[in-house]
Amino acid sequence: MNFFEKSNEIKDYMIDIRRRIHENPELAFDLEDTSKLVKEELDKLKISYTSPIENSVLASLGAGDKTILLRADMDALPIEEENDLDFKSKNQCGHMCGHDFHTAMLLGTAKILKEIEEDLDGVVKLMFQPAEEILKGSEKMIRAGILENPKVDRAMMVHMDTTRPLGIYIKEGAMATSNNNFRIKVKGKSSHGAMPENGIDAAFVASQIVNGLQEIVSRELSFTKGAALTTGHIKAGSAPNIIPDKATIEGTCRTYHEESKKHIQKRIPELSKYIAKAYRAEASFEILSDVPAIINDEEFYKDAIRVLYKVKEENEGFNLIDKCEAVTASDDFANVAKDIPSLMLMVGCKVETGEVYPLHNGKAIFNENSIVYGPTTMASIAYDYLKGENK
């Protein structure tokens, strides 16, 4: 089967699903309508499934000794869409990260593979996951046993990118950064704003901690193993004439290097504690998320690039970009990839006209012609891995 041609044949089917999901975005684990839609489509395809955790779907087809898992995340963002589309979001949330595409493309992949199920010498697991945007869904599904019975041997995902021209993007090695979101709470002493000597200014202490944290990246990490450390949320005080007794700092750290991640995790609470102590305050530290980097498996990459170059040879319109740039964002698919040989690929969906906006922006527009690259890639790679020697 020519999977690129087949994906183009079902293009309208996938776009219709994508638009239905796009109009009704849901957040985190609260994906009642989205998961219901997925189940209804799988019922039509006569593909069996379970719900390992709330509003998740794990489907499977094929039979045999090898198993590959294909993953799509389904949740939206708490961002109001600013586009004027016929299928614009009907609520205050928005699919501005492309998870509506991911879900539709995995259903398209299921539709294609179901037609050749008898040719699969192995099992395809289809993971429809909630709560990726809060980095909680994959871990919870893994704890529910989705990687077992049968044991998953390989796993893969694709992700949209509105800044890259139409095509499929792949690279070996590091593909996405780790994610450590954190919270620091500063405890001081409240007093009148005109009498600072009677208090311990938690806002001032927090500002010194924010400045001090940048020393970790600029002076303690090799530039070959760098990181980004951002403190994006600071809250303190309630009035201009009151010395606040409490302050909260929330931030995130991203890196491709595990040793850098561990070093930063160790140093943030140390610096926070002693900077606060220097100003007579106290500081506590809490990790809010801990997701590793996604490192594309070397052998899986070699197999995948061989398959994709063959697809390109057979299809003049198939755009393949090898050795692409990694992304500096994170994805909780990393919880799968840390234990299973895995691949993360990007689907370029840059619009051909008009201004280009990045993911997580209320004005982000996705080129719907890109939707064929998901099932082409996933079905081709899964079929190659599972096909029997005589098939």
Side-chain angles (χ1 to χ4, degrees):
M1 177 182 287
N2 186 314
F3 292 106
F4 187 57
E5 289 182 356
K6 187 63 180 178
S7 296
N8 276 282
E9 289 176 12
I10 63 169
K11 178 180 175 181
D12 290 342
Y13 164 80
M14 292 187 289
I15 289 176
D16 175 67
I17 291 174
R18 179 255 165 164
R19 291 183 176 185
R20 287 159 58 194
I21 296 172
H22 191 91
E23 279 188 308
N24 299 282
E26 297 174 297
L27 301 179
F29 289 102
D30 299 324
L31 307 181
E32 288 85 359
D33 291 340
T34 308
S35 60
K36 179 181 178 183
L37 183 155
V38 170
K39 292 174 182 177
E40 288 174 348
E41 293 303 317
L42 291 172
D43 285 337
K44 294 175 186 176
L45 296 172
K46 295 181 170 52
I47 295 176
S48 62
Y49 58 84
T50 62
S51 296
I53 63 172
E54 66 270 33
N55 296 313
S56 70
V57 182
L58 181 68
S60 64
L61 49 83
D65 295 332
K66 294 189 294 185
T67 300
I68 186 169
L69 179 142
L70 310 177
R71 179 273 212 159
D73 38 11
M74 303 185 289
D75 56 323
L77 289 158
I79 297 176
E80 187 169 355
E81 184 173 9
E82 299 178 52
N83 298 314
D84 186 19
L85 303 172
D86 293 339
F87 51 94
K88 179 181 178 179
S89 170
K90 294 179 179 178
N91 56 45
Q92 302 304 305
C93 305
H95 268 292
M96 315 317 294
C97 197
H99 295 189
D100 50 343
F101 272 86
H102 301 171
T103 305
M105 291 189 300
L106 189 54
L107 283 171
T109 304
K111 188 178 184 69
I112 291 172
L113 291 178
K114 182 62 178 179
E115 292 184 17
I116 56 170
E117 185 173 15
E118 293 183 358
D119 293 335
L120 299 177
D121 189 16
V123 176
V124 180
K125 286 188 176 181
L126 308 169
M127 175 185 178
F128 295 89
Q129 179 205 311
E132 191 284 322
E133 294 294 356
I134 61 172
L135 303 173
K136 299 293 184 182
S138 69
E139 184 179 23
K140 193 168 184 180
M141 289 188 74
I142 291 168
R143 290 201 306 267
I146 66 160
L147 300 182
E148 305 297 332
N149 301 316
K151 184 180 184 302
V152 172
D153 301 299
R154 286 185 172 182
M156 67 177 295
M157 61 161 287
V158 297
H159 201 294
M160 311 308 293
D161 189 336
T162 56
T163 67
R164 305 190 196 211
L166 203 70
I168 193 74
Y169 293 73
I170 185 173
K171 72 179 292 291
E172 57 185 328
M175 189 61 179
T177 63
S178 61
N179 178 303
N180 277 149
N181 292 344
F182 61 87
R183 178 183 295 129
I184 301 167
K185 290 185 176 180
V186 179
K187 181 180 179 182
K189 181 180 178 182
S190 182
S191 70
H192 195 292
M195 306 171 192
E197 72 278 9
N198 294 329
I200 300 173
D201 190 343
F204 171 79
V205 176
S207 69
Q208 301 307 305
I209 291 174
V210 169
N211 289 332
L213 293 184
Q214 293 306 315
E215 181 273 343
I216 303 173
V217 173
S218 65
R219 290 296 177 268
E220 298 184 19
L221 298 181
S222 164
F223 69 86
T224 61
K225 296 183 178 180
L229 199 164
T230 298
T231 46
H233 181 214
I234 304 172
K235 181 180 179 181
S238 58
N241 61 344
I242 299 173
I243 297 289
D245 63 342
K246 296 176 183 176
T248 300
I249 304 164
E250 291 181 336
T252 188
C253 174
R254 310 295 177 99
T255 180
Y256 299 113
H257 309 284
E258 183 66 16
E259 59 268 43
S260 297
K261 185 185 92 166
K262 290 180 178 178
H263 180 79
I264 294 169
Q265 279 184 333
K266 177 176 180 290
R267 290 292 286 142
I268 291 177
E270 289 177 350
L271 274 174
S272 301
K273 175 181 177 180
Y274 288 106
I275 289 173
K277 189 173 182 180
Y279 296 102
R280 301 174 295 129
E282 299 177 4
S284 62
F285 173 74
E286 177 186 2
I287 293 178
L288 303 178
S289 66
D290 189 356
V291 171
I294 296 178
I295 311 297
N296 282 342
D297 180 77
E298 182 179 357
E299 290 302 316
F300 196 179
Y301 165 80
K302 291 178 180 177
D303 288 341
I305 198 66
R306 170 181 52 78
V307 171
L308 293 175
Y309 269 113
K310 184 177 180 181
V311 174
K312 182 177 177 63
E313 289 173 5
E314 296 174 349
N315 301 277
E316 184 179 352
F318 183 79
N319 191 22
L320 170 64
I321 300 89
D322 189 10
K323 298 179 175 60
C324 68
E325 291 186 6
V327 295
T328 55
S330 307
D331 193 294
D332 79 346
F333 178 75
N335 290 319
V336 175
K338 68 182 179 181
D339 295 320
I340 305 294
S342 297
L343 282 183
M344 175 183 182
L345 302 91
M346 304 302 293
V347 175
C349 56
K350 183 179 179 180
V351 291
E352 297 177 0
T353 59
E355 191 166 354
V356 173
Y357 293 92
L359 301 177
H360 288 223
N361 185 298
K363 295 181 179 180
I365 293 287
F366 299 75
N367 186 337
E368 289 189 321
N369 290 324
S370 66
I371 204 165
V372 298
Y373 280 89
T376 299
T377 299
M378 289 188 284
S380 297
I381 293 173
Y383 177 74
D384 178 80
Y385 181 60
L386 298 181
K387 67 184 179 183
E389 293 182 1
N390 299 318
K391 301 284 183 168

